[in-house]
Amino acid sequence: MGDKVFKPTVKTVLAGFLALFLLDWPLPLWGEEPVLGVLTGSGIPEKADGLPEKAGFNTPYGLAVDGQGRIYVADCYNNSIRVIANGIVGTVAGSIKDADSYGFPLGGLVDGDVNKAMFNKPRAVVVDGQGTIYVADTGNNVIRKISQGKVTTYAGTGKAGFRNGSAREAQFNAPGGLALDKAGNLYVADTLNNVIRKISPQGLVTTYAGKNTGEAGYRDGALAEAQFNEPAALALDREGNLYIVDSGNQLIRRIAKDRVETVAGTRGTLLSGTDYIQGGFRDGSRTEAAFNFPKGITVLENGTLIIADTWNSRVRAVLNTGQVITLVGTGENGKAPGPLYQAVVGSPVGVAHYNNKLYIADADNNLIWQMPLNPDELKAIPNFAPPSEEIQIWVNGVRLELAADNKPYIQDGRTILPLRAICQKLGYRVEWSADGTITITKGNREKVFTAGDPNLRNNNGYTMVGLRYLAESMGYKVEWVPMYRAVVITDSQGVE
């Protein structure tokens, strides 16, 4: 029997749990609702060490976390490398002597003691197991090394160019992202040369992937024939595969088994008068998803990619199922901590993950965000439609579309939903029997509705149920978002 057969007396034999009336006030989720919060940063473009709420950054960019959970920040416009450790923000290396006419600190290329060394708009940082820090000193067109209290120039001449060879003779052009493999090879996103470079532990610089012409373009395939368009960030997974944020192509690429392939993103038309592909925003399958000048990446233990989708003001995930989802950010550029579905970020440019927390460098807001992130329990946030008289139903980040004669409605302060549609969207199998029993199963969970309960009702021949009643019966977290007239439903036991 289907849901067109309505049994007016139906009763549940179910465990009780979460209660909720969806009225005209905002209501929290039961349990601990994941939120985006400020880890550190006053929000003012300044340089200040100390307690997290007092510390100041100026366009923080790349992030790295070491084995002890210390967070390193390429504090770009402060021309410094910062560290967040034991609840205090400090400066690892970099000094400021003068400012330009706009008040921004002037950079320089000076090696030596960490408190006297100078950088010029560093954008990436990576740290090895011994605590040695490598820096993409973007404005100086070199790679720097911080070790034992000293800063040295690891590779590059300081002049923009494209030349392989020994570390002291090699040239780079605005190097961005860095990644370090287990053998000690350092990979460099040589952004304006449109290639990926490799620096061996012996100090030999080679072109790892991309054409030595330096031309921007797009091509998958063999390393020497592949083409990139301003690669901005790098990350290595456990198997040694190298992931590339190919910013100008609006793509996420991967190098595996000596070949370049596109992992996620779509290429549209060229932006007029540029070599850049037009950016966009779309979640979905990896071949349909769209990004807008992404600048940061990290790889989780299970292979999921976390992307700082900069111009979309969002942080996205490329799941190992091939789906691209949004983890936080509404698409509006701003600053608003809070529940992930409504938090607003500015320009996320760097991401790092440690101990079930994600850290996000926000260049526009001059701060570092943090949010809970369990690699095995990632959930998409809703991309709410503009508010209307129609109630939006979002289940695990996906909007539930219902037939015109089967829409949810509010009656006596209660939101009423179609039983079969909502249960099936939540992944349950729904079975009707002749005696009026309704059995709902999902994995090892089973719920049985039997005859005699007045909480179910009929609407145009469909069996309907109050959302509060359903939530109490099935254990889902539910929240009413009044500004969008939206119901947000998430499975507290994880998405299956």
Side-chain angles (χ1 to χ4, degrees):
M1 300 178 71
D3 59 342
K4 281 282 189 177
V5 179
F6 174 68
K7 300 292 181 180
T9 57
V10 184
K11 185 178 182 180
T12 70
V13 182
L14 303 172
F17 59 85
L18 317 177
L20 171 65
F21 275 113
L22 297 183
L23 299 176
D24 292 332
W25 59 84
L27 295 169
L29 293 180
W30 281 262
E32 183 180 352
E33 166 68 352
V35 298
L36 180 78
V38 175
L39 173 67
T40 179
S42 64
I44 301 169
E46 61 178 350
K47 186 172 188 288
D49 288 337
L51 294 173
E53 63 272 19
K54 301 291 186 180
F57 299 85
N58 195 341
T59 316
Y61 227 89
L63 300 179
V65 183
D66 68 12
Q68 285 71 51
R70 291 179 289 241
I71 305 167
Y72 297 88
V73 184
D75 193 4
C76 186
Y77 275 66
N78 274 327
N79 300 309
S80 302
I81 306 305
R82 314 289 292 284
V83 64
I84 307 162
N86 302 315
I88 298 293
V89 177
T91 298
V92 176
S95 61
I96 299 173
K97 293 184 179 179
D98 296 300
D100 63 20
S101 59
Y102 296 99
F104 290 107
L106 286 172
L109 179 51
V110 178
D111 286 337
D113 293 340
V114 292
N115 60 347
K116 295 180 180 179
M118 296 183 70
F119 299 85
N120 190 6
K121 308 299 185 295
R123 285 198 171 191
V125 60
V126 68
V127 58
D128 69 14
Q130 289 70 50
T132 298
I133 302 168
Y134 297 91
V135 179
D137 194 0
T138 308
N140 279 325
N141 302 296
V142 297
I143 308 302
R144 311 289 287 282
K145 178 179 176 180
I146 306 172
S147 179
Q148 298 180 341
K150 300 286 186 181
V151 177
T152 57
T153 297
Y154 185 60
T157 66
K159 181 180 179 180
F162 192 178
R163 185 165 66 215
N164 288 322
S166 69
R168 284 297 189 180
E169 296 175 344
Q171 290 184 329
F172 302 84
N173 195 350
L178 298 176
L180 191 65
D181 71 14
K182 296 175 182 178
N185 296 298
L186 184 66
Y187 299 89
V188 181
D190 194 0
T191 304
L192 295 186
N193 278 326
N194 301 300
V195 296
I196 310 303
R197 311 288 287 282
K198 178 180 175 181
I199 308 173
S200 73
Q202 295 75 35
L204 180 65
V205 179
T206 57
T207 300
Y208 181 60
K211 288 181 170 292
N212 282 328
T213 61
E215 286 185 42
Y218 169 70
R219 181 182 296 168
D220 284 338
L223 295 181
E225 297 301 318
Q227 289 183 297
F228 303 92
N229 191 342
E230 294 199 7
L234 303 176
L236 282 159
D237 67 13
R238 288 182 171 181
E239 286 71 44
N241 301 311
L242 182 66
Y243 291 86
I244 302 123
V245 174
D246 194 4
S247 184
N249 278 323
Q250 318 294 354
L251 302 174
I252 310 303
R253 317 281 290 280
R254 175 174 60 194
I255 299 176
K257 298 179 180 178
D258 294 331
R259 294 189 67 81
V260 177
E261 57 188 0
T262 298
V263 172
T266 52
R267 295 177 80 248
T269 59
L270 280 173
L271 280 168
S272 178
T274 76
D275 292 327
Y276 304 127
I277 297 298
Q278 174 72 57
F281 170 73
R282 186 167 54 249
D283 283 336
S285 72
R286 65 180 187 86
T287 57
E288 296 174 340
F291 300 90
N292 198 357
F293 291 95
K295 301 291 185 183
I297 185 171
T298 192
V299 185
L300 305 184
E301 297 92 327
N302 61 3
T304 294
L305 309 179
I306 306 298
I307 310 298
D309 193 4
T310 307
W311 284 20
N312 275 325
S313 296
R314 292 176 168 100
V315 176
R316 318 276 292 284
V318 183
L319 306 178
N320 45 29
T321 61
Q323 290 293 303
V324 176
I325 64 173
T326 296
L327 299 177
V328 69
T330 63
E332 176 188 358
N333 185 303
K335 178 185 174 184
L340 299 184
Y341 70 86
Q342 65 183 16
V344 178
V345 299
S347 292
V349 288
V351 284
H353 180 255
Y354 181 81
N355 197 24
N356 282 352
K357 288 184 180 178
L358 183 70
Y359 303 102
I360 305 161
D362 189 335
D364 281 358
N365 285 316
N366 301 297
L367 55 78
I368 311 300
W369 298 101
Q370 70 173 357
M371 57 179 273
L373 191 146
N374 184 331
D376 298 319
E377 296 181 2
L378 296 185
K379 295 188 175 85
I381 64 168
N383 180 28
F384 292 122
S388 67
E389 288 301 311
E390 183 176 330
I391 299 170
Q392 302 179 48
I393 306 295
W394 290 84
V395 179
N396 292 330
V398 178
R399 186 171 182 178
L400 174 58
E401 301 291 350
L402 298 171
D405 62 347
N406 199 15
K407 297 287 187 182
Y409 58 91
I410 294 178
Q411 185 176 73
D412 299 326
R414 304 177 66 204
T415 296
I416 310 300
L417 301 167
L419 179 64
R420 177 186 286 276
I422 189 64
C423 289
Q424 288 181 338
K425 193 65 179 181
L426 293 171
Y428 282 77
R429 185 172 72 250
V430 184
E431 297 176 323
W432 265 255
S433 63
D435 63 359
T437 298
I438 305 172
T439 303
I440 302 174
T441 57
K442 180 182 183 182
N444 59 3
R445 290 186 282 178
E446 180 178 279
K447 313 295 179 185
V448 179
F449 295 76
T450 58
D453 193 326
N455 287 287
L456 299 185
R457 62 191 69 187
N458 180 29
N459 183 52
N460 295 323
Y462 290 93
T463 300
M464 309 293 287
V465 60
L467 182 58
R468 171 183 177 176
Y469 180 76
L470 185 67
E472 288 181 343
S473 303
M474 299 179 64
Y476 287 84
K477 296 179 181 179
V478 183
E479 187 166 4
W480 171 246
V481 186
M483 65 183 297
Y484 290 103
R485 288 180 56 80
V487 177
V488 178
I489 303 173
T490 54
D491 185 349
S492 60
Q493 300 189 31
V495 183
E496 298 183 9

